[in-house]
Amino acid sequence: MKDVSQNKNENIVWHNNKVSYEDRCKVLGQKGVVVWFTGLSGSGKSTVAVELEKMLNEAGKAVYLLDGDNIRCGINSDLGFSDEDRNENIRRISEIAALFQDAGIITLVSFISPFRKMRQFARERAGEGNFIEVYVNTDFETCMERDPKGLYKKQIKNFTGKDSSYEEPLNPEIVLDTVKYSPVECAKQVYELVVKGML
């Protein structure tokens, strides 16, 4: 039974299904996993995640990409960029990613997710052995030069890596170098890790 003790509504009771996680995985022929891309804006997170999604799909895997900007256009459109809102942004997507994982889907998540405690929260929600943290380790200067969205030029307040902190992962499952390797090459590195973890 899911722990609902932290819910603000005391009348909430978890409803159990007759279809298990194992049942769903059997139908799909795969294990559900959350692949969490983290790094500065412009580091290459989404670019690599898009390539990885294509590779997995072509390999016949059920996969879905949850991208930070796309999610902020809908589910999280009410959130700003204060530390509190950033945490809520990650809390919500962590819960969504955990649901996708429980459905047996390979779930790619591409969010800056600057704070370690929230990435740890995401890991715990997915469950041990179901979470792969991918640190796209691109230096600030390179991200600023790339500036694919033009964000660095706008001098945005509370911008991660500049006047808002980014806490680097301490023990990610994989670190990507998008300066040395192309997006496709980086995606292949993660692909191998994902497939290996599903065996």
Side-chain angles (χ1 to χ4, degrees), residues 11 22 62 67 86-87 136 153 163:
N11 298 315
E22 289 74 19
D67 182 79
R86 288 174 194 267
N87 285 341
V136 186
K153 295 176 182 175
D163 53 4

Side-chain angles (χ1 to χ4, degrees), residues 81-90 114-115 158 160 164:
F81 291 91
S82 66
D83 285 357
E84 293 76 15
D85 279 1
R86 288 174 194 267
N87 285 341
E88 177 60 14
N89 185 42
I90 300 306
F115 306 125
N158 295 327
T160 303
S164 182

Side-chain angles (χ1 to χ4, degrees), residues 5 61 106 162 187:
S5 61
K61 302 298 183 183
I106 301 171
K162 190 174 182 182

Side-chain angles (χ1 to χ4, degrees), residues 53-85:
E53 182 183 35
K54 183 173 182 287
M55 287 178 188
L56 288 165
N57 179 262
E58 289 176 347
K61 302 298 183 183
V63 57
Y64 195 83
L65 171 58
L66 299 168
D67 182 79
D69 282 355
N70 293 354
I71 296 299
R72 278 186 175 273
C73 285
I75 295 168
N76 291 348
S77 61
D78 60 321
L79 300 177
F81 291 91
S82 66
D83 285 357
E84 293 76 15
D85 279 1

Side-chain angles (χ1 to χ4, degrees), residues 152-171:
Y152 288 89
K153 295 176 182 175
K154 292 182 179 180
Q155 303 296 315
I156 297 171
K157 186 179 179 182
N158 295 327
F159 195 75
T160 303
K162 190 174 182 182
D163 53 4
S164 182
S165 65
Y166 176 80
E167 299 171 355
E168 295 186 6
L170 299 177
N171 297 293

